[in-house]
Amino acid sequence: MSPWLVPLVLAAVAAAAVAGWLGRRPARGAGRAVTWVANSAYLRALPGYARRLRVLRGGLAVAAAGLVLAAVATAALSARPVDRDVRSEILATRDIVLCLDVSGSMIELDSEIVRTFGRLVDSFEGERIALSVWNNTSRTVFPLTDDYALVEEELDAAATALDFDLDSWVYDPEALARLEGFLTGTVSLDNESSSLVGDGLASCALAFDEAETDRSRSIILATDNLVLGTPIYSLLEAHDLASERDVTVHALYASLDDAGSDVARDELEAVTTGGGGLFFEADDPSAVDGIIADITAQQAVDLDADPEVVVTDRPDRWYGWLVAGLLVLLGVLWRVRA
């Protein structure tokens, strides 16, 4: 863009307007003959004459405004308005698996936790996201992807399905069907165990692909850590498995007032923070910002590429104003002459 052209063009238009106005004035002493008509002074007092004079003056004012608008638009177009974007072919290489406990003691809390996941995703740009849910078995809701439209759609569907009151005496059949459909694959009927946290975490640790690629990997584990039964992996063993695969585990602890356990909470916090991860209460308003800050601070491997400045002409921003100004100017002049 050449902003110096704007005042130059405006000055040229103003000079042309002044020259045109002076050119219409007769030279002193060389004016056209004036014919005086006797007893015609009363004409100025006639309502019709006053009305037409007001129309003339108003029209000229509107025409002047149209001229100014067209002149400004012309000046802006002459300066060539553009957008400049600095783009780089750098791809973020962060992978995040959202790892959600959907056991009975967590159902009433999971809907809000999923919405917390949604707020996390809103801050991401280029990262790949996956969602894995588990009880005594696990299923992948969606694998690692950077299709954020898909991610938002799946998280919204998950939040809706999990928004279910298990203590209600009357169930909405459609809501129950949504919940059952979402939980499909997370419960093995021949297994009386529940909330196998270690196995759930282990399955999330195995959800990362491109194992030979140097990438930043994180798990956000949401659970109350209340285990019923004997898992294949203990929480510590699953965390060690994640660490061996260079995966950082962050924890969102959630528990109902009547189901909480200080021992379970303390174990989850100790294992998570001992491995370099973050520990938050699920209802902690700083949880989202804290996890985002930590994931952002992790070293991500980027592809080297020189930044490219992309210049895009944007005359469309001023063409409409130019056309509008000219239409106003021509329309008023035509009406005044008529």
Side-chain angles (χ1 to χ4, degrees), residues 9-335:
V9 172
L10 290 177
V13 172
V18 171
W21 180 73
L22 292 176
R24 292 180 58 87
R25 297 182 62 188
R28 182 171 297 179
R32 292 175 297 176
V34 177
T35 303
W36 296 96
V37 179
N39 301 318
S40 60
Y42 73 95
L43 292 175
R44 295 179 180 274
L46 294 176
Y49 177 88
R51 183 177 61 256
R52 295 178 69 86
L53 187 60
R54 285 195 301 269
V55 170
L56 175 62
R57 289 172 176 171
L60 292 177
V62 173
L67 176 62
V68 171
L69 178 60
V72 171
T74 301
L77 287 170
S78 300
R80 189 189 172 190
V82 298
D83 280 343
R84 295 180 183 272
D85 296 322
V86 179
R87 300 176 184 173
S88 179
E89 298 300 323
I90 295 178
L91 303 177
T93 55
R94 299 181 180 93
D95 291 341
I96 301 102
V97 172
L98 310 176
C99 193
L100 181 64
D101 180 352
V102 291
S103 60
S105 60
M106 286 287 294
I107 290 294
E108 293 185 36
L109 305 172
D110 280 339
S111 181
E112 184 58 36
I113 291 174
V114 169
R115 291 188 174 91
T116 298
F117 285 166
R119 293 197 295 274
L120 283 169
V121 172
D122 288 341
S123 68
F124 293 156
E125 183 176 354
E127 291 89 344
R128 295 193 304 165
I129 315 295
L131 174 61
S132 177
V133 296
W134 48 270
N135 186 357
N136 61 27
T137 61
S138 66
R139 81 174 181 94
T140 299
V141 178
F142 55 88
L144 286 167
T145 179
D146 59 2
D147 184 349
Y148 291 153
L150 169 67
V151 171
E152 291 177 1
E153 179 181 346
E154 291 290 345
L155 290 180
D156 287 343
T160 301
L162 292 167
D163 189 10
F164 188 86
D165 185 4
L166 294 177
D167 295 328
S168 175
W169 288 93
V170 180
Y171 292 144
D172 178 353
E174 292 184 5
L176 181 59
R178 283 196 300 268
L179 178 63
E180 291 176 341
F182 185 77
L183 297 181
T184 299
T186 64
V187 179
S188 175
L189 298 180
D190 59 354
N191 189 334
E192 296 181 356
S193 60
S194 174
S195 191
L196 302 183
V197 179
D199 293 351
L201 177 57
S203 66
C204 292
L206 297 174
F208 295 92
D209 57 6
E210 302 185 25
E212 303 303 321
T213 305
D214 191 7
R215 303 177 69 86
S216 171
R217 299 176 176 87
S218 302
I219 290 175
I220 301 175
L221 173 66
T223 181
D224 57 8
N225 197 31
L226 295 178
V227 180
L228 175 63
T230 304
I232 298 174
Y233 288 89
S234 68
L235 175 61
L236 182 58
E237 290 171 341
H239 190 279
D240 289 342
L241 173 65
S243 298
E244 290 171 3
R245 298 173 66 86
D246 295 324
V247 178
T248 302
V249 179
H250 305 290
L252 285 175
Y253 175 76
S255 178
L256 296 173
D257 293 338
D258 58 350
S261 167
D262 292 338
V263 174
R265 182 193 182 284
D266 293 344
E267 180 193 22
L268 182 62
E269 182 177 14
V271 170
T272 303
T273 58
L278 300 175
F279 176 87
F280 291 97
E281 300 281 353
D283 58 357
D284 183 351
S286 66
V288 172
D289 292 339
I291 293 175
I292 291 172
D294 188 79
I295 292 175
T296 303
Q298 290 183 31
Q299 180 179 3
V301 180
D302 295 329
L303 302 177
D304 293 331
D306 294 329
E308 177 186 4
V309 178
V310 179
V311 179
T312 305
D313 287 321
R314 295 302 306 270
D316 54 295
R317 294 172 177 169
W318 291 99
Y319 272 141
W321 294 110
L322 175 60
V323 172
L326 291 177
L327 288 177
V328 169
L329 177 62
L330 295 177
V332 170
L333 291 179
W334 173 82
R335 182 68 180 88

